[in-house]
Amino acid sequence: SSRRASVPPPPPTGGRASLGPGMAGVLGACCTLLFSLVAACLGALFACGLGAVAHDWLYGWTVMRAVSALSSRTPEAVATLALLLLPPSLAAYWARCCRGRAEGAAFGQAVLGALLGGALLGLLASTPPRLYGYDVADQDIHSTSGAKAVATVEL
């Protein structure tokens, strides 16, 4: 009886396997980064627009006055740190802790995390300080002493 030698199957010719495992990983990471950046920008634009619409529709309501008072009393350094650290921290937390086991779940979680981080950035940026109370400097142009009066105006 003759024995046949087993012949290995031919290498794949198309798809991600033809790029090699290293190059496929780089392309996948680049696609994830690109989609995450787009999602973060869209989230920030949507949330900032939503904040602008909320300020327009709810101007003068007690809730809006409370948010404005809180943002006015927050020190500038704390507000800057919150604006710089909270959105990427939320995105990283979401992308790391909420991973699924299915293939492509890491991609979806990275994009969703970027969307949430961008939305938080947009909401933080859409709340300007001193929205309701501001100081108005008034100078009498007929005064010989050049005295200025400062008054706080509440709308």
Side-chain angles (χ1 to χ4, degrees):
S1 88
S2 66
R3 261 190 186 202
R4 287 190 172 182
S6 64
V7 178
T13 58
R16 289 176 61 160
S18 66
L19 297 174
M23 188 59 137
V26 170
L27 286 177
C30 287
C31 285
T32 301
L33 179 65
L34 179 67
F35 279 97
S36 296
L37 286 173
V38 169
C41 290
L42 288 175
L45 287 173
F46 179 75
C48 210
L50 185 66
V53 169
H55 286 300
D56 186 43
W57 286 354
L58 306 176
Y59 188 82
W61 286 27
T62 307
V63 172
M64 296 305 284
R65 288 185 180 271
V67 169
S68 178
L70 178 68
S71 68
S72 296
R73 288 177 176 76
T74 304
E76 191 172 322
V78 173
T80 301
L81 280 175
L83 197 62
L84 292 175
L85 295 178
L86 286 179
S89 298
L90 174 67
Y93 173 77
W94 183 267
R96 294 271 317 193
C97 85
C98 302
R99 283 198 180 170
R101 296 187 191 268
E103 185 176 333
F107 173 78
Q109 290 306 123
V111 171
L112 186 60
L115 182 70
L116 291 174
L120 182 60
L121 176 66
L123 286 176
L124 289 173
S126 71
T127 308
R130 294 181 295 275
L131 185 62
Y132 290 100
Y134 56 93
D135 294 334
V136 176
D138 184 24
Q139 181 178 3
D140 188 2
I141 58 173
H142 299 290
S143 173
T144 55
S145 66
K148 292 182 180 180
V150 177
T152 300
V153 177
E154 285 288 330
L155 297 177

